[in-house]
Amino acid sequence: MAKQLYIHYDSVSNHVLTKSIAFHLSALPQSEIPQNLLLLNGKSSLATHDPYTGFMWVKGRKNVLAYLQGVEEGKEAPSNWVDFDSIDFVHQLTPQEIADLLYISHAKTHLHSPFFYKLQNNFIYLSLENGYSKVYYRKIEQFLPILSAQVQIEMTDILNETPKFLFFGADKVASAISIEALKEMMPLYREGISLAFDKVTKKEDSYEVPIFLTEDRYHYADKEVTQNVRIGQLAYSETYQNWKISAKLPTNDAI
């Protein structure tokens, strides 16, 4: 079922609040996939208990990817987590640093920097209520391949909604939207937007995905998303298999 992808980027703390966007780590280059994870409030058959911190930890990129795939498929219970390079340096965390990790996991926000020198973490992933998630990124550019992967999945699903007759017609796969195009939308992410794949319209061979200005929907969940705050669209051409973005933030008088 098509859905709306919600994105709100806080450039001060470098975190992204999202809904309906899976954490597709496999979309990142191999060298950027975390080597290990500390599960801050959960368990997994792929994880081992660390007596020093009291956390479970997932060792190795293969297990990290398997764990996150299991979460996406509902086979693993979701957990808040932080990545790290070396278990030896984890064992050098002070009681205060461990307390900071517990606080972030419980309060869903940070008191001090969410990036720990001893962990060398690039991410902190927090699972929120009502299907939202919050991820701290050391490098915000790492969010863009994850978003690109979800956009491609949503459009692929839409392309394959038309019933096939008997055995004719193979599954279609949408082209990925470029990282450069998504990067141009950074000012929109700061305001808070939704990519409304549940409101797609088709004109000849082109699909238009409305872009709505939704601001901080997580903290103001009752705010309605209406045509009055539509600020543009993503357009996908099935013939040319490419994307075009047309979006502009409204002036204060237009809101």
Side-chain angles (χ1 to χ4, degrees), residues 29 43 49-50 56 67 72 79 86 113-114 124 132 139 141 145 151 155 187 189-190 194-195 198 217 227:
K43 298 180 180 180
H49 180 259
D50 176 47
M56 302 288 287
Y67 167 73
E72 186 177 346
S79 173
S86 168
S113 171
I124 292 184
Y132 287 88
K139 296 181 288 185
E141 292 80 11
V151 168
M155 183 50 66
Y189 308 148
R190 291 188 180 94
S194 288
L195 307 180
D198 60 341
R217 188 197 288 182
Q227 288 294 118

Side-chain angles (χ1 to χ4, degrees), residues 210-247:
I211 302 175
F212 292 107
L213 180 66
T214 48
E215 300 178 329
D216 188 350
R217 188 197 288 182
Y218 178 71
H219 294 99
Y220 301 95
D222 295 333
K223 183 174 180 179
E224 298 243 347
V225 179
T226 70
Q227 288 294 118
N228 293 331
V229 288
R230 177 170 174 165
I231 59 172
Q233 61 275 331
L234 292 177
Y236 181 76
S237 170
E238 188 173 3
T239 299
Y240 296 104
Q241 298 185 9
N242 61 11
W243 293 87
K244 292 183 180 178
I245 300 171
S246 175

Side-chain angles (χ1 to χ4, degrees), residues 15-238:
H15 78 257
V16 183
L17 189 66
T18 63
K19 186 173 184 178
S20 301
I21 300 175
F23 199 73
H24 302 285
L25 270 183
S26 57
L28 298 177
Q30 180 74 11
S31 61
E32 296 182 12
I33 296 173
Q35 298 184 56
N36 312 286
L37 301 181
L38 277 179
L39 305 185
L40 301 179
N41 66 340
K43 298 180 180 180
S44 169
S45 60
L46 295 169
T48 303
H49 180 259
D50 176 47
Y52 181 82
T53 61
F55 299 130
M56 302 288 287
W57 68 292
V58 180
K59 180 180 180 180
R61 289 191 173 110
K62 181 179 178 181
N63 285 331
V64 167
L65 290 172
Y67 167 73
L68 293 176
Q69 184 67 29
V71 171
E72 186 177 346
E73 295 174 355
K75 298 175 183 177
E76 294 276 359
S79 173
N80 301 331
W81 55 261
V82 59
D83 63 297
F84 67 94
D85 280 351
S86 168
I87 193 66
D88 292 333
F89 284 106
V90 168
H91 293 163
Q92 293 181 24
L93 290 172
T94 65
Q96 181 59 55
E97 289 169 327
I98 295 172
D100 285 347
L101 288 170
L102 287 168
Y103 179 85
I104 290 173
S105 179
H106 176 73
K108 316 299 186 186
T109 190
H110 61 287
L111 284 175
H112 307 106
S113 171
F115 303 106
F116 295 74
Y117 175 76
K118 294 170 186 173
L119 298 180
Q120 290 294 295
N121 63 303
N122 290 310
F123 313 98
I124 292 184
Y125 178 91
L126 302 171
S127 178
L128 307 180
E129 297 176 347
N130 300 320
Y132 287 88
S133 62
K134 178 179 180 179
V135 182
Y136 291 91
Y137 291 87
R138 187 182 292 271
K139 296 181 288 185
I140 192 59
E141 292 80 11
Q142 291 180 315
F143 167 66
L144 301 179
I146 292 169
L147 175 59
S148 176
Q150 192 66 50
V151 168
Q152 184 179 24
I153 288 170
E154 297 302 322
M155 183 50 66
T156 295
D157 287 347
I158 289 171
L159 293 178
N160 289 290
E161 283 180 350
T162 303
K164 301 180 182 64
F165 295 97
L166 299 178
F167 301 103
F168 296 101
D171 285 343
K172 301 175 182 177
V173 178
S175 297
I177 188 170
S178 72
I179 302 303
E180 291 73 20
L182 293 177
K183 195 170 185 177
E184 291 176 3
M185 295 172 65
M186 290 299 294
L188 307 184
Y189 308 148
R190 291 188 180 94
E191 298 300 321
I193 61 169
S194 288
L195 307 180
F197 283 91
D198 60 341
K199 292 179 169 57
V200 167
T201 56
K202 185 178 181 182
K203 297 179 181 179
E204 298 179 352
D205 79 321
S206 181
Y207 294 82
E208 286 193 356
V209 183
I211 302 175
F212 292 107
L213 180 66
T214 48
E215 300 178 329
D216 188 350
R217 188 197 288 182
Y218 178 71
H219 294 99
Y220 301 95
D222 295 333
K223 183 174 180 179
E224 298 243 347
V225 179
T226 70
Q227 288 294 118
N228 293 331
V229 288
R230 177 170 174 165
I231 59 172
Q233 61 275 331
L234 292 177
Y236 181 76
S237 170
E238 188 173 3

